[in-house]
Amino acid sequence: MDDKTILNRISELVDEEHRLRADAQAGESGTDDDARARLRALEESLDQCWDLLRRRRAARQAHGDPEAQGGRPVSEVERYLQ
Protein backbone atom coordinates (compact mmCIF):
# COMPACT_ATOMS: atom_id res chain seq x y z
CA MET A 1 0.00 0.00 0.00
CA ASP A 2 1.47 3.36 -0.97
CA ASP A 3 1.03 6.73 0.77
CA LYS A 4 -1.61 7.91 -1.69
CA THR A 5 -3.71 4.81 -1.08
CA ILE A 6 -3.40 5.29 2.68
CA LEU A 7 -4.41 8.95 2.40
CA ASN A 8 -7.40 8.02 0.24
CA ARG A 9 -8.45 5.45 2.85
CA ILE A 10 -8.11 8.05 5.60
CA SER A 11 -10.30 10.42 3.61
CA GLU A 12 -12.97 7.74 3.15
CA LEU A 13 -12.96 6.89 6.84
CA VAL A 14 -13.16 10.55 7.88
CA ASP A 15 -16.05 11.15 5.49
CA GLU A 16 -17.97 8.22 6.95
CA GLU A 17 -17.19 9.33 10.50
CA HIS A 18 -18.44 12.86 9.78
CA ARG A 19 -21.61 11.49 8.20
CA LEU A 20 -22.35 9.25 11.19
CA ARG A 21 -21.71 12.08 13.66
CA ALA A 22 -23.87 14.50 11.66
CA ASP A 23 -26.69 11.96 11.56
CA ALA A 24 -26.40 11.49 15.32
CA GLN A 25 -26.56 15.24 15.95
CA ALA A 26 -29.59 15.53 13.69
CA GLY A 27 -31.23 12.76 15.65
CA GLU A 28 -31.55 10.60 12.55
CA SER A 29 -29.34 7.77 13.73
CA GLY A 30 -26.01 7.25 15.33
CA THR A 31 -27.21 6.80 18.86
CA ASP A 32 -27.83 3.08 18.68
CA ASP A 33 -25.28 0.43 19.60
CA ASP A 34 -24.49 -0.41 15.97
CA ALA A 35 -23.65 3.21 15.13
CA ARG A 36 -21.49 3.58 18.24
CA ALA A 37 -19.66 0.36 17.39
CA ARG A 38 -19.11 1.56 13.82
CA LEU A 39 -17.74 4.90 15.07
CA ARG A 40 -15.34 3.06 17.36
CA ALA A 41 -14.21 0.84 14.47
CA LEU A 42 -13.71 3.92 12.29
CA GLU A 43 -11.60 5.60 14.97
CA GLU A 44 -9.46 2.49 15.33
CA SER A 45 -9.00 2.16 11.57
CA LEU A 46 -8.04 5.82 11.34
CA ASP A 47 -5.47 5.39 14.10
CA GLN A 48 -3.99 2.41 12.26
CA CYS A 49 -3.82 4.31 8.96
CA TRP A 50 -2.20 7.37 10.52
CA ASP A 51 0.30 5.16 12.35
CA LEU A 52 1.24 3.37 9.13
CA LEU A 53 1.58 6.64 7.22
CA ARG A 54 3.80 8.17 9.94
CA ARG A 55 6.05 5.10 10.04
CA ARG A 56 6.33 5.00 6.24
CA ARG A 57 7.34 8.67 6.18
CA ALA A 58 9.84 8.14 9.00
CA ALA A 59 11.37 5.18 7.17
CA ARG A 60 11.70 7.25 4.02
CA GLN A 61 13.39 10.12 5.92
CA ALA A 62 15.81 7.64 7.51
CA HIS A 63 16.58 6.27 4.03
CA GLY A 64 14.80 3.04 4.89
CA ASP A 65 12.21 1.10 2.95
CA PRO A 66 8.68 2.40 3.52
CA GLU A 67 7.34 -0.77 1.90
CA ALA A 68 8.79 -2.77 4.79
CA GLN A 69 6.34 -1.07 7.13
CA GLY A 70 3.18 -3.02 7.79
CA GLY A 71 0.04 -2.21 9.68
CA ARG A 72 0.08 -2.72 13.42
CA PRO A 73 -2.77 -4.34 15.32
CA VAL A 74 -5.39 -2.14 16.96
CA SER A 75 -4.29 -3.30 20.41
CA GLU A 76 -0.82 -1.88 19.81
CA VAL A 77 -1.85 1.37 18.13
CA GLU A 78 -4.56 2.18 20.68
CA ARG A 79 -2.14 1.99 23.63
CA TYR A 80 -0.09 4.99 22.47
CA LEU A 81 -0.08 8.03 24.69
CA GLN A 82 -1.05 11.22 22.96
PDB file of all heavy atoms in Angstrom, residues 25-40:
ATOM      1  N   GLN A  25     -26.190  13.904  15.463  1.00  0.00           N
ATOM      2  CA  GLN A  25     -26.558  15.238  15.946  1.00  0.00           C
ATOM      3  C   GLN A  25     -27.934  15.647  15.440  1.00  0.00           C
ATOM      4  O   GLN A  25     -28.657  16.354  16.131  1.00  0.00           O
ATOM      5  CB  GLN A  25     -25.518  16.269  15.528  1.00  0.00           C
ATOM      6  CG  GLN A  25     -24.245  16.167  16.331  1.00  0.00           C
ATOM      7  CD  GLN A  25     -23.233  17.224  15.935  1.00  0.00           C
ATOM      8  OE1 GLN A  25     -23.338  17.847  14.888  1.00  0.00           O
ATOM      9  NE2 GLN A  25     -22.245  17.420  16.785  1.00  0.00           N
ATOM     10  N   ALA A  26     -28.279  15.200  14.255  1.00  0.00           N
ATOM     11  CA  ALA A  26     -29.585  15.531  13.687  1.00  0.00           C
ATOM     12  C   ALA A  26     -30.674  14.627  14.256  1.00  0.00           C
ATOM     13  O   ALA A  26     -31.844  14.807  13.955  1.00  0.00           O
ATOM     14  CB  ALA A  26     -29.541  15.410  12.166  1.00  0.00           C
ATOM     15  N   GLY A  27     -30.276  13.665  15.058  1.00  0.00           N
ATOM     16  CA  GLY A  27     -31.235  12.755  15.650  1.00  0.00           C
ATOM     17  C   GLY A  27     -31.743  11.694  14.704  1.00  0.00           C
ATOM     18  O   GLY A  27     -32.687  10.980  15.004  1.00  0.00           O
ATOM     19  N   GLU A  28     -31.111  11.578  13.540  1.00  0.00           N
ATOM     20  CA  GLU A  28     -31.554  10.600  12.546  1.00  0.00           C
ATOM     21  C   GLU A  28     -31.117   9.201  12.906  1.00  0.00           C
ATOM     22  O   GLU A  28     -31.858   8.245  12.758  1.00  0.00           O
ATOM     23  CB  GLU A  28     -31.033  10.981  11.166  1.00  0.00           C
ATOM     24  CG  GLU A  28     -31.607  12.292  10.661  1.00  0.00           C
ATOM     25  CD  GLU A  28     -30.970  12.740   9.372  1.00  0.00           C
ATOM     26  OE1 GLU A  28     -30.312  11.918   8.709  1.00  0.00           O
ATOM     27  OE2 GLU A  28     -31.129  13.918   9.031  1.00  0.00           O
ATOM     28  N   SER A  29     -29.886   9.064  13.316  1.00  0.00           N
ATOM     29  CA  SER A  29     -29.340   7.775  13.734  1.00  0.00           C
ATOM     30  C   SER A  29     -28.032   8.066  14.430  1.00  0.00           C
ATOM     31  O   SER A  29     -27.694   9.209  14.666  1.00  0.00           O
ATOM     32  CB  SER A  29     -29.120   6.851  12.530  1.00  0.00           C
ATOM     33  OG  SER A  29     -28.097   7.368  11.707  1.00  0.00           O
ATOM     34  N   GLY A  30     -27.318   7.038  14.731  1.00  0.00           N
ATOM     35  CA  GLY A  30     -26.012   7.245  15.331  1.00  0.00           C
ATOM     36  C   GLY A  30     -26.013   7.129  16.833  1.00  0.00           C
ATOM     37  O   GLY A  30     -24.976   7.230  17.449  1.00  0.00           O
ATOM     38  N   THR A  31     -27.173   6.938  17.418  1.00  0.00           N
ATOM     39  CA  THR A  31     -27.210   6.795  18.864  1.00  0.00           C
ATOM     40  C   THR A  31     -27.395   5.347  19.288  1.00  0.00           C
ATOM     41  O   THR A  31     -27.298   5.038  20.457  1.00  0.00           O
ATOM     42  CB  THR A  31     -28.346   7.650  19.460  1.00  0.00           C
ATOM     43  OG1 THR A  31     -29.580   7.257  18.854  1.00  0.00           O
ATOM     44  CG2 THR A  31     -28.094   9.123  19.213  1.00  0.00           C
ATOM     45  N   ASP A  32     -27.656   4.493  18.329  1.00  0.00           N
ATOM     46  CA  ASP A  32     -27.833   3.084  18.682  1.00  0.00           C
ATOM     47  C   ASP A  32     -26.481   2.386  18.818  1.00  0.00           C
ATOM     48  O   ASP A  32     -25.433   2.923  18.481  1.00  0.00           O
ATOM     49  CB  ASP A  32     -28.734   2.375  17.670  1.00  0.00           C
ATOM     50  CG  ASP A  32     -28.168   2.382  16.261  1.00  0.00           C
ATOM     51  OD1 ASP A  32     -27.127   3.046  16.038  1.00  0.00           O
ATOM     52  OD2 ASP A  32     -28.753   1.734  15.387  1.00  0.00           O
ATOM     53  N   ASP A  33     -26.514   1.177  19.346  1.00  0.00           N
ATOM     54  CA  ASP A  33     -25.282   0.433  19.599  1.00  0.00           C
ATOM     55  C   ASP A  33     -24.489   0.163  18.330  1.00  0.00           C
ATOM     56  O   ASP A  33     -23.262   0.214  18.336  1.00  0.00           O
ATOM     57  CB  ASP A  33     -25.590  -0.884  20.305  1.00  0.00           C
ATOM     58  CG  ASP A  33     -26.052  -0.679  21.738  1.00  0.00           C
ATOM     59  OD1 ASP A  33     -25.762   0.399  22.316  1.00  0.00           O
ATOM     60  OD2 ASP A  33     -26.706  -1.585  22.275  1.00  0.00           O
ATOM     61  N   ASP A  34     -25.183  -0.128  17.231  1.00  0.00           N
ATOM     62  CA  ASP A  34     -24.488  -0.406  15.969  1.00  0.00           C
ATOM     63  C   ASP A  34     -23.718   0.814  15.482  1.00  0.00           C
ATOM     64  O   ASP A  34     -22.583   0.700  15.025  1.00  0.00           O
ATOM     65  CB  ASP A  34     -25.478  -0.850  14.891  1.00  0.00           C
ATOM     66  CG  ASP A  34     -26.059  -2.228  15.156  1.00  0.00           C
ATOM     67  OD1 ASP A  34     -25.439  -3.000  15.923  1.00  0.00           O
ATOM     68  OD2 ASP A  34     -27.131  -2.527  14.600  1.00  0.00           O
ATOM     69  N   ALA A  35     -24.321   1.986  15.579  1.00  0.00           N
ATOM     70  CA  ALA A  35     -23.652   3.208  15.131  1.00  0.00           C
ATOM     71  C   ALA A  35     -22.458   3.521  16.020  1.00  0.00           C
ATOM     72  O   ALA A  35     -21.396   3.924  15.527  1.00  0.00           O
ATOM     73  CB  ALA A  35     -24.632   4.379  15.111  1.00  0.00           C
ATOM     74  N   ARG A  36     -22.613   3.334  17.331  1.00  0.00           N
ATOM     75  CA  ARG A  36     -21.486   3.576  18.244  1.00  0.00           C
ATOM     76  C   ARG A  36     -20.347   2.598  17.972  1.00  0.00           C
ATOM     77  O   ARG A  36     -19.173   2.981  17.975  1.00  0.00           O
ATOM     78  CB  ARG A  36     -21.947   3.484  19.698  1.00  0.00           C
ATOM     79  CG  ARG A  36     -22.652   4.749  20.171  1.00  0.00           C
ATOM     80  CD  ARG A  36     -22.836   4.750  21.670  1.00  0.00           C
ATOM     81  NE  ARG A  36     -23.777   3.728  22.117  1.00  0.00           N
ATOM     82  CZ  ARG A  36     -25.093   3.868  22.160  1.00  0.00           C
ATOM     83  NH1 ARG A  36     -25.634   5.010  21.764  1.00  0.00           N
ATOM     84  NH2 ARG A  36     -25.870   2.896  22.592  1.00  0.00           N
ATOM     85  N   ALA A  37     -20.688   1.356  17.706  1.00  0.00           N
ATOM     86  CA  ALA A  37     -19.659   0.359  17.392  1.00  0.00           C
ATOM     87  C   ALA A  37     -18.958   0.711  16.084  1.00  0.00           C
ATOM     88  O   ALA A  37     -17.731   0.562  15.970  1.00  0.00           O
ATOM     89  CB  ALA A  37     -20.278  -1.034  17.304  1.00  0.00           C
ATOM     90  N   ARG A  38     -19.720   1.177  15.102  1.00  0.00           N
ATOM     91  CA  ARG A  38     -19.115   1.561  13.820  1.00  0.00           C
ATOM     92  C   ARG A  38     -18.196   2.762  14.004  1.00  0.00           C
ATOM     93  O   ARG A  38     -17.103   2.803  13.425  1.00  0.00           O
ATOM     94  CB  ARG A  38     -20.200   1.856  12.777  1.00  0.00           C
ATOM     95  CG  ARG A  38     -19.660   2.240  11.428  1.00  0.00           C
ATOM     96  CD  ARG A  38     -18.813   1.140  10.809  1.00  0.00           C
ATOM     97  NE  ARG A  38     -18.144   1.612   9.606  1.00  0.00           N
ATOM     98  CZ  ARG A  38     -16.971   1.187   9.191  1.00  0.00           C
ATOM     99  NH1 ARG A  38     -16.334   0.245   9.854  1.00  0.00           N
ATOM    100  NH2 ARG A  38     -16.427   1.673   8.102  1.00  0.00           N
ATOM    101  N   LEU A  39     -18.600   3.739  14.808  1.00  0.00           N
ATOM    102  CA  LEU A  39     -17.741   4.895  15.070  1.00  0.00           C
ATOM    103  C   LEU A  39     -16.437   4.466  15.744  1.00  0.00           C
ATOM    104  O   LEU A  39     -15.365   4.951  15.392  1.00  0.00           O
ATOM    105  CB  LEU A  39     -18.464   5.917  15.943  1.00  0.00           C
ATOM    106  CG  LEU A  39     -19.394   6.861  15.208  1.00  0.00           C
ATOM    107  CD1 LEU A  39     -20.216   7.681  16.209  1.00  0.00           C
ATOM    108  CD2 LEU A  39     -18.629   7.784  14.277  1.00  0.00           C
ATOM    109  N   ARG A  40     -16.544   3.553  16.684  1.00  0.00           N
ATOM    110  CA  ARG A  40     -15.338   3.060  17.363  1.00  0.00           C
ATOM    111  C   ARG A  40     -14.424   2.358  16.364  1.00  0.00           C
ATOM    112  O   ARG A  40     -13.204   2.562  16.362  1.00  0.00           O
ATOM    113  CB  ARG A  40     -15.738   2.107  18.504  1.00  0.00           C
ATOM    114  CG  ARG A  40     -14.566   1.543  19.241  1.00  0.00           C
ATOM    115  CD  ARG A  40     -13.872   2.614  20.048  1.00  0.00           C
ATOM    116  NE  ARG A  40     -12.704   2.012  20.693  1.00  0.00           N
ATOM    117  CZ  ARG A  40     -11.604   2.661  20.940  1.00  0.00           C
ATOM    118  NH1 ARG A  40     -11.495   3.928  20.639  1.00  0.00           N
ATOM    119  NH2 ARG A  40     -10.593   2.059  21.500  1.00  0.00           N
TER     120      ARG A  40
END
